[in-house]
Amino acid sequence: MIAHLFGTITEKLPASVIIDVHGVGYELILSAPDAERINLGDEVKFYTFHSLRENAEDLYGFTSLAAKKLFEMLISVNGIGPKAAISILSLGTPEEVRNAIANTDAAFISKAAGVGKKSAERVIVDLRDKVGLPSHYGATETKFTLAPEKGPADEALDALIALGFPLKEASAALAEVDPSLPVEERIRLALKQK
């Protein structure tokens, strides 16, 4: 299984990119926020998910481990396939999508292409207890403003997930830690809480 790829972006297609890794080009399907953030010639690391179906073989790419884990949670929901999951992740940052699920905001989730009201409600019911507490309350706005390239919260969350923490526990542990601290300090304090 391909866990991650690091290489140079050689082509940008409407819904994917081609990344050159030592002379081999891999086509990765990305969420809209990740695709907007990437430029030709950038050297980027993507966490990957390899989807095998009867008639297709696709490779999905994510710039953060948290986004990949959220994608994996989404495809575990009955009726949500990889294309619907990437469409849901295209609604905003992984944190905005996670927060919408935690806040039971089915209206936000149903705005994704190919995801109806019933599917959005199923996502909420199946994942609300798995994604952790909401970081803020109220309806999630649909906005396509991108967060900074990689904030300290993202790196700390990715590190905790890489250490084996479930997304819910990692986000709960980091919620108790001052976000202005350096990444290493945030991770250390989050680990002390567990």
Side-chain angles (χ1 to χ4, degrees):
M1 174 181 279
I2 302 170
H4 74 267
L5 295 170
F6 179 79
T8 305
I9 303 299
T10 58
E11 293 181 49
K12 276 186 84 169
L13 307 169
S16 62
V17 295
I18 295 179
I19 182 171
D20 183 288
V21 180
H22 300 292
V24 178
Y26 294 91
E27 184 174 1
L28 297 174
I29 299 169
L30 306 177
S31 68
D34 280 348
E36 285 292 318
R37 186 178 293 137
I38 306 296
N39 296 310
L40 287 175
D42 286 354
E43 285 197 349
V44 185
K45 177 180 179 179
F46 288 105
Y47 296 94
T48 59
F49 180 86
H50 192 189
S51 173
L52 292 173
R53 294 188 316 252
E54 192 174 298
N55 57 351
E57 187 172 338
D58 296 317
L59 197 57
Y60 292 84
F62 310 92
T63 56
S64 73
L65 192 54
K68 179 185 176 185
K69 294 299 181 188
L70 187 55
F71 176 85
E72 290 172 340
M73 288 173 140
L74 287 166
I75 62 172
S76 74
V77 174
N78 189 21
I80 301 293
K83 289 184 180 180
I86 208 77
S87 180
I88 292 170
L89 286 175
S90 291
L91 292 172
T93 64
E95 180 58 24
E96 288 170 334
V97 173
R98 187 197 70 77
N99 197 62
I101 295 169
N103 276 320
T104 65
D105 190 354
F108 178 80
I109 302 298
S110 66
K111 291 178 183 173
V115 179
K117 184 179 178 189
K118 294 231 185 248
S119 294
E121 289 170 353
R122 195 174 309 119
V123 166
I124 300 293
V125 169
D126 287 2
L127 299 182
R128 133 179 94 214
D129 294 333
K130 296 178 183 175
V131 296
L133 297 173
S135 57
H136 63 277
Y137 294 95
T140 310
E141 296 177 25
T142 303
K143 56 183 179 193
F144 198 75
T145 57
L146 297 175
E149 188 79 16
K150 266 294 220 191
D154 290 339
E155 290 178 17
L157 184 63
D158 283 352
L160 289 176
I161 290 170
L163 289 172
F165 284 85
L167 180 61
K168 179 179 179 178
E169 290 181 23
S171 59
L174 286 171
E176 302 296 322
V177 177
D178 180 6
S180 65
L181 293 172
V183 175
E184 297 81 12
E185 184 69 12
R186 286 176 47 92
I187 295 167
R188 189 179 66 72
L189 292 172
L191 289 172
K192 276 188 174 182
Q193 293 178 14
K194 292 294 169 190

